[in-house]
Amino acid sequence: MHSPATPDTTDPLQRERDHLASSRAALRAMREDAQALDISDVAGTWVTAEVLRNQIERRIAALADLSDTPLFFGRLDFRHAISGEASEGAGGERFYIGRRHVHDDGGDPMVIDWRAPVSQSFYRASRKDPMDIDRRRRFGYTGGELTAYEDENLSDPAETGTASALLAAEIEKPRVGPMRDIVATIQPEQDEIVRAEVNGTICVQGAPGTGKTAVGLHRVAYLLYAHRERLKKAGTLVVGPNASFLSYIEQVLPALGELEVAQATVQELVQHVEVRGADSAEAAAIKGDARLAEVLRRAVRAGVTLPTEPLVVVRGSRRWRLPVYELTEIIEELAGREIRYGAAMEALPQRLAHAVLLKMEQGGEAPDDRVQDAVARSREIKALVKACWPVVDPAKLVLRLLSEPAFLASCAEGILTAEEQAAIGWAKPGRSVRSAPWTAADAVLVDEVTDLVHRTPSLGHVVLDEAQDLSPMQYRAVGRRCTTGSATVLGDLAQGTTPWATGSWSEALHHLGKPEAHVEELTTGFRVPEEVIRYASRLLPAIAPGLAPATSIRTGTDSLAIRRTEPAEQVAAVVAACREALAREGSTGLIAADARLPLFEAALAEAGLAYLTPGSETTADTRLILVPASLAKGLEYDYVVLDEPAAVVAGEPDRRTGLRRLYVSLTRAVSGLAVVHAEPLPAELA
């Protein structure tokens, strides 16, 4: 690693600082050019003017220079020139790799976007395959100031490869504030996933600390770079497990210049009804079962009836009659096509009107399309459609299904047992959609019916994180949002903590509607220390026997502490461990079973330790976060103090789920983990 020598222009580090200053000046000029654009003589109408104005505003926002974020983090010196690119020096070409493209006033690149094809070599080149790279340079920063660099001479066979100190330092930076991007530390196996084709769905099974969430977010940024127009029109979405998680990751894409990617939880996607109730674990598992899709399909079609009387349409002085058998054929043909219920309902009047027009032609008349439209809107046909193919309100239909045992029994015959029907029925149903005791699982059922009636619009790409916790019906809800697009599915089977957690990715991808998806496994950790992940992996035989234990590049012997206390001293010992962690740089997460949180709220207040809730941004004065075990998934802290593992396990409805919750809690630490317990540790950790 090269450190500052003398601050003159012959110093290589100073030259790099000069390039950084010039690049920042060029970025400011690019932003000023965008701000100075005058569209008064360009836009033809107020609509086009508004569209252009919005595009310019987004461009200005994307060109913002974040002073504490490195504009570039690497440099590539090629051995030979690359056609079509600007050249520096007599040999090959030199490119600075950064978070966005920056060019000078002549249009020549000063910084190349990390997503550009030429940047791929920065992540994948090696001494075995140098990809025509002579030298790869990494830069070290303190805040926004360039402070060091180190070189890898990939074309020199005499030079032995050593671990990058700057890469390790970047990975191990304290986690104060929300999640950061990882553009400077993407590894070759991660880069392959990030740059995978837009048309294919990819599933990433990743152990804790392998960077699967970051990979998914960077994949979105890459796809928007490579296929912007396509995805801009269709839209992109990141789906996370809870609001705390989404708050934690919300700054990653804006830091990469992507400001228009939507974020939501599954529950926010299905906000058709107000959730005010809660299911038992048994009821939630049944409602989340894929069998409910057929029950709901039957319920939607239950209102379709066949006519018992002929249709008579009056046109002027003549009456046109369609017999019952013809009406039956038309309705049965529509019902048999399995098109959306609403689309069939809209097609039925035209089908009936067309049949009437055939009668009119046979009677010597010459009707045209206007006559058919008029017949389709006639009072007689409207009445028949209303009677035989009635309007379906999704929320009202699910309300009826869950509150009327006889209706549920008819729709669930041969699918759900009588006991299962009793488990999901409402004991005290509401009288209306507004007063009904809707649960989170019920809202997903309403979303399913909504799609059965009218097709859900499809997005271009969806990232689904912590996917192992979704039920089959929740997978279907997400899959509806990308039926014509692709998806990136992220998760870890060992971290499934819901009663309906998926048992295999093939099963999950089937319910998502992406059975052809390619599954990649990340087992090398970059965040969690080896000592911590090895300790947590003792639980794998009990919670996910098919998964290989993760390894970590973070070696060391002082990252794990197991402390036994007396029951009366447990809370005080946890608070003391928090003080010890806060004496070091970075964030500290105190993770405890949900039921024990009030103990620590009182104890921390009494000790004068200010704390935040998950997803909140830490500050220099407040770096302690009090985390219920149920919300720990997906979050990271420099230091974790874990209270009473046995209580974490006992807080779940069954032991296996409890051990999975414990596995999640044990693997949130980036630098150090202290486990404080008075009760015996679970036997699986021995």
Side-chain angles (χ1 to χ4, degrees):
M1 183 188 299
H2 297 261
S3 298
T6 56
D8 59 69
T9 56
T10 62
D11 177 13
L13 183 62
Q14 185 59 42
R15 288 201 298 271
E16 301 294 14
R17 287 172 171 167
D18 292 342
H19 186 77
L20 176 60
S22 299
S23 299
R24 289 197 183 280
L27 181 60
R28 285 195 300 272
M30 290 169 62
R31 195 165 195 259
E32 289 167 0
D33 288 344
Q35 291 170 327
L37 287 173
D38 183 3
I39 62 172
S40 57
D41 296 329
V42 178
T45 66
W46 70 269
V47 176
T48 55
E50 189 64 23
V51 171
L52 283 172
R53 189 175 296 110
N54 288 337
Q55 290 178 343
I56 291 171
E57 288 176 357
R58 288 195 294 269
R59 173 68 173 164
I60 292 170
L63 290 172
D65 185 8
L66 306 177
S67 60
D68 60 345
T69 301
L71 191 56
F72 57 78
F73 48 82
R75 195 184 89 185
L76 291 175
D77 294 355
F78 283 83
R79 297 180 65 189
H80 303 95
I82 299 176
S83 176
E85 298 285 355
S87 178
E88 293 188 30
E93 297 175 275
R94 175 176 299 170
F95 298 97
Y96 287 84
I97 312 301
R99 286 167 171 77
R100 65 197 67 199
H101 175 85
V102 180
H103 60 256
D104 61 19
D105 55 6
D108 292 329
M110 301 187 70
V111 180
I112 300 293
D113 195 300
W114 67 276
R115 298 167 288 188
V118 71
S119 302
Q120 182 172 317
S121 304
F122 182 80
Y123 300 109
R124 300 196 190 181
S126 64
R127 285 178 174 78
K128 184 177 180 181
D129 180 16
M131 302 176 71
D132 200 42
I133 302 299
D134 182 45
R135 176 169 54 189
R136 173 168 54 200
R137 175 169 288 182
R138 297 182 188 275
F139 297 104
Y141 288 83
T142 300
E145 181 184 356
L146 199 160
T147 56
Y149 71 88
E150 65 182 11
D151 288 337
E152 295 174 86
N153 295 312
L154 300 182
S155 62
D156 184 358
E159 183 171 312
T160 58
T162 56
S164 168
L166 288 181
L167 183 64
E170 177 65 24
I171 289 173
E172 296 176 13
K173 274 186 178 178
R175 264 137 187 82
V176 177
M179 182 179 180
R180 304 191 309 265
D181 66 73
I182 62 165
V183 288
T185 62
I186 293 174
Q187 300 300 295
E189 64 271 24
Q190 295 174 325
D191 190 62
E192 289 184 16
I193 297 171
V194 167
R195 297 176 193 265
E197 285 298 316
V198 67
N199 292 326
T201 289
I202 192 164
C203 175
V204 181
Q205 158 63 40
T210 55
K212 57 185 177 294
T213 295
V215 166
L217 294 174
H218 287 67
R219 176 158 165 71
V220 170
Y222 170 77
L223 293 177
L224 285 168
Y225 174 88
H227 308 279
R228 187 167 302 281
E229 289 305 314
R230 172 178 172 179
L231 293 182
K232 181 179 178 182
K233 181 182 298 184
T236 52
L237 171 69
V238 175
V239 181
N242 52 59
S244 296
F245 176 84
L246 292 178
S247 176
Y248 176 61
I249 68 171
E250 67 181 356
Q251 296 302 318
V252 174
L253 288 168
L256 298 173
E258 301 301 340
L259 307 174
E260 298 182 356
V261 179
Q263 292 188 169
T265 63
V266 173
Q267 209 53 51
E268 289 170 336
L269 292 181
V270 298
Q271 281 184 331
H272 306 289
V273 293
E274 183 181 351
V275 174
R276 56 167 58 90
D279 282 309
S280 65
E282 178 192 11
I286 297 170
K287 289 178 180 179
D289 195 298
R291 293 176 297 163
L292 265 292
E294 175 59 21
V295 174
L296 294 172
R297 191 197 68 81
R298 290 182 183 180
V300 168
R301 300 279 172 158
V304 176
T305 58
L306 298 176
T308 56
E309 297 180 358
L311 171 69
V312 179
V313 177
V314 178
R315 288 285 297 171
S317 60
R318 304 192 65 175
R319 298 160 62 89
W320 306 99
R321 182 177 180 275
L322 290 180
V324 171
Y325 78 89
E326 282 194 40
L327 299 175
T328 300
E329 287 178 357
I330 292 171
I331 293 174
E332 287 182 339
E333 191 272 333
L334 274 178
R337 288 183 59 191
E338 291 296 329
I339 61 176
R340 292 296 193 281
Y341 185 89
M345 186 176 65
E346 293 170 0
L348 182 55
Q350 289 291 336
R351 296 290 183 87
L352 296 171
H354 180 70
V356 171
L357 258 65
L358 292 178
K359 299 289 185 183
M360 295 172 71
E361 290 173 350
Q362 293 169 3
E365 296 194 7
D368 56 18
D369 290 344
R370 289 176 297 177
V371 174
Q372 179 170 325
D373 290 339
V375 172
R377 295 192 300 269
S378 67
R379 176 173 52 83
E380 297 88 351
I381 285 185
K382 284 183 177 180
L384 178 65
V385 171
K386 183 178 180 180
C388 295
W389 205 286
V391 173
V392 168
D393 180 290
K396 289 181 179 178
L397 182 74
V398 177
L399 171 67
R400 181 188 175 199
L401 190 71
L402 298 178
S403 58
E404 295 183 16
F407 183 51
L408 175 59
S410 66
C411 296
E413 184 179 359
I415 300 176
L416 300 180
T417 65
E419 292 76 16
E420 289 174 324
Q421 294 174 35
I424 66 173
W426 287 339
K428 297 180 179 179
R431 296 183 178 180
S432 67
V433 169
R434 186 179 295 275
S435 63
W438 298 108
T439 68
D442 297 334
V444 178
L445 302 184
V446 176
D447 189 70
E448 179 83 22
V449 174
T450 301
D451 184 70
L452 288 169
V453 176
H454 296 292
R455 184 183 300 276
T456 303
S458 177
L459 297 164
H461 193 80
V462 172
V463 174
L464 175 59
D465 206 350
E466 300 296 348
Q468 73 281 343
D469 275 336
L470 269 61
S471 70
M473 292 300 286
Q474 288 175 319
Y475 279 118
R476 290 174 61 88
V478 176
R480 286 192 280 277
R481 272 76 185 177
C482 57
T483 50
T484 59
S486 56
T488 301
V489 182
L490 311 166
D492 180 9
L493 297 178
Q495 296 186 57
T497 51
T498 56
W500 48 85
T502 189
S504 71
W505 288 122
S506 60
E507 176 188 346
L509 293 167
H510 169 75
H511 295 309
L512 190 70
K514 306 291 183 182
E516 75 293 343
H518 178 61
V519 180
E520 290 279 355
E521 187 170 3
L522 296 176
T523 58
T524 301
F526 304 97
R527 301 289 188 266
V528 184
E530 172 69 23
E531 192 176 20
V532 173
I533 195 66
R534 190 168 61 246
Y535 182 70
S537 293
R538 296 179 183 182
L539 299 173
L540 286 179
I543 62 177
L547 293 183
T551 60
S552 176
I553 66 169
R554 306 278 306 285
T555 59
T557 57
D558 59 351
S559 57
L560 176 66
I562 312 296
R563 301 173 184 174
R564 179 72 183 263
T565 70
E566 295 300 320
E569 300 170 357
Q570 172 68 13
V571 173
V574 168
V575 173
C578 289
R579 284 192 185 279
E580 183 181 326
L582 289 169
R584 293 170 254 182
E585 186 181 6
S587 59
T588 296
L590 166 52
I591 303 178
D594 293 32
R596 290 174 61 84
L597 248 61
L599 291 175
F600 294 106
E601 290 172 352
L604 292 174
E606 183 178 347
L609 292 178
Y611 63 89
L612 301 168
T613 55
S616 302
E617 185 169 347
T618 56
T619 66
D621 297 326
T622 308
R623 295 179 288 113
L624 175 63
I625 302 92
L626 180 57
V627 187
S630 62
L631 292 183
K633 192 172 299 178
L635 305 179
E636 289 181 341
Y637 305 100
D638 289 290
Y639 298 95
V640 167
V641 177
L642 176 60
D643 166 67
E644 206 61 84
V648 173
V649 176
E652 299 298 328
D654 61 84
R655 183 170 181 78
R656 188 182 189 192
T657 303
L659 290 173
R660 287 182 168 183
R661 185 76 72 189
L662 177 58
Y663 180 76
V664 171
S665 301
L666 288 169
T667 54
R668 299 305 94 201
V670 173
S671 296
L673 168 68
V675 178
V676 185
H677 68 104
E679 298 182 39
L681 291 172
E684 290 82 356
L685 283 178

